[in-house]
Amino acid sequence: MLKGIGASEGYGIGKVMLVEEHSLEYTPKVVTDTEAEIKRYKDAVDTFVQQTMEQAEALKSSAGEKEAEIMQGHIAIIMDPFMGGEIEKLVAAGTCAEAAVEQMCDMFIGIFSATDDDLTRQRAADVKDIKTAMLSILLGIKEVKISDAPAGTVLVAKEVTPSMTAGINKENIVGIITETGSQTSHSAILARAMEIPAVLSVPNVLSQLSSGERVIVDGSAGEIITAPTDEQAAEYETKREAFLREKRELELYRGKKTVSASGEEYELCCNIGSPKDAGKAMDSDGEGVGLFRTEFLFMDRTSLPTEDEQFDAYKAAAQILKGKPLIIRTLDIGGDKEIPYLGLEKEENPFMGFRAIRYCLKNRDMFKSQIKAILRASAFGDVRIMFPLITALEELREGKALVEEAKNDLRNSGIAFNENIPVGVMTETAASGVIADLLAKEADFFSIGTNDLTGYTMACDRGNSDVSYLYSPFQPSVLRMIKSIIENGRKNNIPVGMCGEAAANPMMIPLLMSFGLTEFSVSSVSVLKVRKNISKWTKAEADAVAEKVMAMETEKEITEYLSSII
């Protein structure tokens, strides 16, 4: 058995087709006829755009309109004036087109890869795919095509890119296995869109499997069973049928309210990273956006976005939501999110250092520009402002004071905005949990960020394998912190949501219902599952579960109990 990340649920049984990558090695050379080399680069761009437009059209039919936008986004990146201009400068200085493309792409890949945010890291994958395609064109290498794969094929590749999947016949592909990728990678997004079971990030899988070998792909558990017996094949065929039946049942929850078995209503929103993602949230039947990460506006460039550029993005998201709530988190940089042009100094411990609200309050002009853009967008929908990484009451007060300054500027300019725009706090530190009673008196809402809250409360880095065993939202200390935050919000009559990954965990849901959470914000693919899981519990049943859990002393005891009743 091989293990990886279950990125697209379901079960597939078929024969392996290895997708080997062509070598993109070349010998850099100094160019003397720079005009001819620039023309060669521009011709490659034209070819890339034509091929990518064709792939986007093919993806529309095989995966859907939203997935095709991935390819359209690649065109926007390669046509970006800054990227093209810098590549042409390098070529004009004597660099060959291949090396110039690689140098600029690698710069952006490095910027985007330096973050722990999956959505931002995905931009690195976009640029990597562009680099591969452009080098293939410049070197005259034909792209890998899998459109001729026979029925019952399990694709095995280092990475399944959008360009590879453009011509895929999804009826013939029963599973996907890759050596790289995550839940939010394009391989995962495309596999889910085409409803193909996928297991990603399986180390050295290309060297461990052979073409024609029979395997079972368990996209739910993230497992690959090699050389399965007939009994195992029959067992997984039964699982596959049950999975498909359950998937059909989930559609029954589309268009319905999010209600417990005893009638309590909840708000079920989505986490997004761009205006396009707001469309995905609506397509998934989300009831709004509980977290709009604004970092993407600042990271995909070499200078600060203008107020107008930010306003256009926030307005677009608000209009897509058509009056549903849109919580916009102000710039959360530092820690694992590096933006080179901002000139942040290297720190010994960046997660404990100059980041998020701390950076913004020291860079007031930049911060005020973002707040004004959000305020202007509030004239077009139910927009709300949320400050990240609040650890002291003074930070909230200073942020709110800046909001008032921005309001005055807009009033004086005659620009419309919501005078009563809610301003909330992302409670994601132990400090914010401990002073939740104070913050709740001056914040309009809370949203619990369980990813950072768990790390800060447990003083552990989830990326450090030596201490990752401590990183769990079911640690008694973390659960007590979550409960306290929600209770203090309720005492002060402000809504409390959760935008961390734990909000979609079936084991966490009855606890959150009992504690009094009012809003769940999850990934778009999780909406119907969360709605279904909430509908299973009465408030009394959830209270009984929470009472037992809060009396337990260890994470192991808690998770074993919860997994036994889910």
Side-chain angles (χ1 to χ4, degrees):
M1 180 187 290
L2 304 176
K3 292 283 291 182
I5 296 171
S8 179
E9 291 186 323
Y11 308 91
I13 305 170
K15 292 184 178 180
V16 167
M17 175 181 173
L18 295 180
V19 183
E20 303 282 359
E21 292 185 341
H22 292 290
S23 171
L24 295 175
E25 289 185 8
Y26 63 93
T27 302
K29 59 182 180 182
V30 176
V31 174
T32 53
D33 189 348
T34 56
E35 285 188 14
E37 191 71 359
I38 288 175
K39 183 180 184 304
R40 192 167 79 92
Y41 161 70
K42 288 183 174 180
D43 288 345
V45 171
D46 290 342
T47 301
F48 173 88
V49 170
Q50 181 182 347
Q51 289 179 353
T52 306
M53 287 176 68
E54 291 171 358
Q55 291 163 353
E57 284 302 312
L59 268 178
K60 279 184 185 178
S61 58
S62 64
E65 186 92 29
K66 296 297 180 183
E67 286 63 38
E69 289 177 359
I70 295 172
M71 302 306 299
Q72 293 160 356
H74 288 189
I75 294 173
I77 292 172
I78 199 65
M79 297 296 288
D80 179 77
F82 173 78
M83 176 175 270
E86 291 300 305
I87 290 173
E88 289 185 33
K89 282 181 189 176
L90 289 170
V91 175
T95 304
C96 67
E98 290 88 348
V101 167
E102 188 165 31
Q103 185 174 326
M104 281 305 299
C105 287
D106 285 347
M107 183 191 82
F108 281 106
I109 290 168
I111 291 171
F112 297 139
S113 297
T115 175
D116 190 41
D117 180 75
D118 282 340
L119 291 171
T120 306
R121 275 207 309 268
Q122 189 51 56
R123 292 184 171 267
D126 286 331
V127 180
K128 184 181 176 185
D129 200 14
I130 292 166
K131 181 178 82 169
T132 298
M134 282 293 294
L135 288 178
S136 296
I137 293 167
L138 288 165
L139 295 170
I141 296 169
K142 291 185 178 180
E143 289 189 334
V144 176
K145 288 191 176 180
I146 53 180
S147 55
D148 298 329
T153 293
V154 174
L155 289 178
V156 181
K158 184 170 184 181
E159 180 181 15
V160 176
T161 64
S163 56
M164 285 170 59
T165 58
I168 194 173
N169 181 350
K170 62 182 180 180
E171 301 302 321
N172 290 349
I173 308 301
V174 297
I176 292 173
I177 305 169
T178 68
E179 290 189 353
T180 63
S182 67
Q183 284 278 2
T184 56
S185 68
H186 284 332
S187 297
I189 293 168
L190 293 166
R192 287 194 292 266
M194 293 185 286
E195 300 183 336
I196 299 172
V199 179
L200 311 185
S201 209
V202 182
N204 305 312
V205 71
L206 282 165
S207 61
Q208 296 190 65
L209 297 178
S210 305
S211 285
E213 179 180 354
R214 191 185 190 207
V215 297
I216 293 174
V217 180
D218 184 342
S220 301
E223 297 174 348
I224 298 134
I225 298 169
T226 56
T229 64
D230 290 342
E231 289 78 10
Q232 286 175 314
E235 175 191 347
Y236 276 87
E237 182 59 32
T238 301
K239 285 185 176 183
R240 190 183 75 84
E241 291 172 0
F243 170 78
L244 294 174
R245 186 168 57 251
E246 182 183 1
K247 197 165 188 177
R248 288 192 295 270
E249 290 173 356
L250 276 181
E251 286 301 313
L252 298 174
Y253 292 87
R254 187 175 295 278
K256 303 289 179 63
K257 290 183 178 180
T258 304
V259 187
S260 71
S262 49
E264 291 81 11
E265 287 191 22
Y266 298 87
E267 199 168 49
L268 181 53
C269 297
C270 295
N271 302 328
I272 69 171
S274 71
K276 287 182 181 178
D277 289 342
K280 293 178 183 177
M282 294 300 93
D283 290 345
S284 68
D285 207 34
E287 298 164 25
V289 167
L291 171 63
F292 184 166
R293 303 177 180 92
T294 59
E295 291 73 53
F296 85 98
L297 276 173
F298 291 76
M299 299 184 83
D300 196 4
R301 56 193 304 124
T302 56
S303 61
L304 284 170
T306 65
E307 180 185 319
D308 284 343
E309 286 174 320
Q310 293 186 69
F311 163 65
D312 288 341
Y314 307 147
K315 174 187 173 183
Q319 290 179 322
I320 289 169
L321 294 181
K322 296 180 179 177
K324 293 181 178 179
L326 172 64
I327 297 177
I328 300 177
R329 183 178 69 186
T330 58
L331 182 61
D332 185 4
I333 57 157
D336 57 346
K337 303 185 188 81
E338 184 179 355
I339 302 178
Y341 65 80
L342 292 180
L344 287 170
E345 294 183 7
K346 292 290 183 183
E347 298 180 86
E348 286 289 326
N349 192 342
F351 285 93
M352 302 285 185
F354 192 44
R355 58 169 297 204
I357 193 69
R358 301 167 182 179
Y359 176 86
C360 289
L361 290 174
K362 293 290 185 181
N363 292 271
R364 293 175 63 86
D365 289 344
M366 178 209 72
F367 195 24
K368 191 173 180 180
S369 175
Q370 181 177 36
I371 290 172
K372 286 169 71 175
I374 297 172
L375 285 169
R376 289 168 61 189
S378 71
F380 298 88
D382 182 6
V383 176
R384 308 169 192 181
I385 298 172
M386 179 163 67
F387 297 137
L389 205 79
I390 294 292
T391 56
L393 189 59
E394 293 90 339
E395 293 169 334
L396 173 58
R397 287 174 175 171
E398 194 174 345
K400 290 180 70 176
L402 200 59
V403 171
E404 292 306 314
E405 282 185 30
K407 286 180 178 180
N408 281 330
D409 289 351
L410 295 179
R411 287 190 199 100
N412 293 335
S413 300
I415 297 174
F417 63 92
N418 177 11
E419 287 280 359
N420 299 310
I421 188 170
V423 178
V425 169
M426 190 165 178
T427 47
E428 54 187 329
T429 65
S432 63
V434 171
I435 61 166
D437 58 327
L438 304 179
L439 295 172
K441 289 180 173 64
E442 301 190 26
D444 294 317
F445 64 89
F446 284 160
S447 185
I448 303 171
T450 51
N451 299 350
D452 273 350
L453 182 64
T454 301
Y456 283 124
T457 300
M458 295 304 298
C460 72
D461 177 3
R462 61 175 164 170
N464 184 333
S465 59
D466 290 329
V467 297
S468 59
Y469 69 96
L470 292 168
Y471 186 88
S472 167
F474 297 102
Q475 290 283 358
S477 56
V478 180
L479 289 177
R480 291 184 185 191
M481 191 72 73
I482 292 171
K483 187 172 186 285
S484 174
I485 292 168
I486 296 172
E487 286 178 344
N488 278 294
R490 288 175 64 84
K491 285 176 185 175
N492 289 276
N493 297 311
I494 65 170
V496 183
M498 178 177 286
C499 56
E501 292 175 11
N505 191 320
M507 296 198 300
M508 183 67 79
I509 285 173
L511 302 181
L512 298 176
M513 292 171 65
S514 175
F515 295 164
L517 196 78
T518 55
E519 178 238 15
F520 293 73
S521 192
V522 301
S523 66
S524 58
V525 296
S526 299
V527 169
L528 296 182
K529 281 187 179 180
V530 172
R531 185 170 290 150
K532 178 182 177 180
N533 283 323
I534 288 173
S535 74
K536 291 178 179 179
W537 295 93
T538 66
K539 180 65 164 55
E541 290 168 343
D543 287 343
V545 170
E547 185 177 356
K548 282 187 179 180
V549 165
M550 299 309 287
M552 293 176 181
E553 298 177 344
T554 67
E555 191 267 353
K556 185 174 185 292
E557 186 182 6
I558 290 168
T559 54
E560 284 181 351
Y561 165 66
L562 289 173
S563 62
S564 73
I565 64 169
I566 298 302

